Amino acid sequence: MASETRLSVNINKVATLRNARGENVPNLVQVALDCERFGAQGITVHPRPDERHVKKTDVIELSAVISTEFNIEGYPSKEFLELVKLVKPAQVTLVPDAPSAVTSNSGWDVVSNFVFLTGVVAQLKEYGIRTSIFVAPESEQVEAAAKTGSDRIELYTKPYAELFDVDPLKAVEPYRIASKYAGENGLGVNAGHDLNLQNLRFLKQHLPFLDEVSIGHALICDALYMGLQNTIMNYLQQLR
């Protein structure tokens, strides 16, 4: 099993709350710094074209102060690639979302988009940025992702979360297989979407390789009750 799985906190929901009043409360940069201070090993953002949560200016400001790993998710449009070239985060996670999508709701069909993604990965490598491709836990997609030259995949875990309460072993099995297959093909493995304090430990225990999880919605919701520091400590405990 992987010796350590890093926690990257997605702070999009904090930006959504801030934007509701059009002011700078809560302060997104301060929240990111607090997450790091409380033990998070990375910060994730997903800037969208309509800037309904994280804005381009936020990304630039965050890139200047984050001392852990900065992970920027997004669809690789021209504007997105220009932004990540400017800030050069540690990692870019490529997602297939349409601009109007509320949240990520599927992985890439890497097979059908192979030429496009291969070109994007090559471009990001020129910038010195580690690349991760958001995929479903399917061997065909994992293999195609490896052939693009990507460094990692991020497994889309919503189906796991939905089935977890009914049959956890059945829920985790496709992810165990995909994780093993990714490791055998030289890919790092990330995971994200609908992971929480109830299902995270089980996922960690059953995946042969799991480098990083990116968690936002559930973690920020838990922080409303438990406080941000205590919440991050609880999530880190699930990964140990």
Side-chain angles (χ1 to χ4, degrees):
M1 303 294 286
S3 59
E4 180 186 22
T5 300
R6 301 167 70 86
L7 172 65
S8 186
V9 177
N10 187 320
I11 57 175
N12 273 23
K13 285 297 185 293
V14 178
T16 302
L17 179 61
R18 175 203 61 188
N19 294 350
R21 289 290 294 268
E23 299 169 351
N24 196 33
V25 179
N27 184 304
L28 193 67
V29 170
Q30 187 58 54
V31 171
L33 294 175
D34 287 339
C35 287
E36 292 183 318
R37 183 162 57 90
F38 298 150
Q41 296 120 331
I43 300 295
T44 292
V45 296
H46 187 154
R48 294 182 181 274
D50 61 6
E51 296 197 324
R52 64 181 180 266
H53 34 62
V54 172
K55 303 177 185 295
K56 179 179 179 180
T57 53
D58 293 325
V59 175
I60 294 170
E61 290 176 9
L62 288 164
S63 70
V65 298
I66 288 175
S67 58
T68 58
E69 289 197 352
F70 193 20
N71 172 46
I72 304 180
E73 301 178 344
Y75 179 84
S77 64
K78 178 183 177 183
E79 293 75 18
F80 179 83
L81 292 172
E82 287 174 351
L83 178 61
V84 299
K85 180 182 180 181
L86 175 65
V87 302
K88 290 186 171 58
Q91 177 175 266
V92 164
T93 300
L94 303 174
V95 297
D97 294 359
S100 60
V102 174
T103 186
S104 302
N105 54 22
S106 66
W108 281 97
D109 182 345
V110 187
V111 176
S112 298
N113 293 277
F114 181 78
V115 174
F116 172 64
L117 288 171
T118 299
V120 171
V121 169
Q123 189 172 345
L124 292 169
K125 282 183 177 288
E126 288 180 8
Y127 304 157
I129 301 171
R130 185 174 73 227
T131 307
S132 179
I133 299 178
F134 196 59
V135 296
E138 300 167 0
S139 296
E140 181 183 40
Q141 301 299 338
V142 174
E143 182 178 10
K147 289 180 179 178
T148 67
S150 184
D151 303 288
R152 294 186 183 184
I153 54 168
E154 178 172 331
L155 294 172
Y156 173 54
T157 48
K158 183 177 180 64
Y160 163 75
E162 290 179 330
L163 186 57
F164 176 78
D165 289 337
V166 178
D167 190 337
L169 284 173
K170 183 177 180 181
V172 83
E173 182 61 10
Y175 295 86
R176 184 193 67 78
I177 294 171
S179 169
K180 182 174 183 292
Y181 193 70
E184 292 170 349
N185 281 270
L187 284 169
V189 180
N190 300 340
H193 211 289
D194 287 359
L195 296 175
N196 57 41
L197 288 174
Q198 287 69 51
N199 60 37
L200 180 58
R201 184 188 297 271
F202 193 83
L203 183 78
K204 160 69 176 176
Q205 290 174 336
H206 286 80
L207 265 59
F209 304 98
L210 184 58
D211 296 290
E212 173 186 299
V213 292
S214 175
I215 305 178
H217 184 81
L219 189 151
I220 299 303
C221 289
D222 288 334
L224 294 175
Y225 295 93
M226 298 190 295
L228 185 59
Q229 180 173 7
N230 191 39
T231 298
I232 289 175
M233 290 175 64
N234 272 272
Y235 274 86
L236 290 169
Q237 187 61 38
Q238 303 309 306
L239 294 171
R240 295 190 178 118

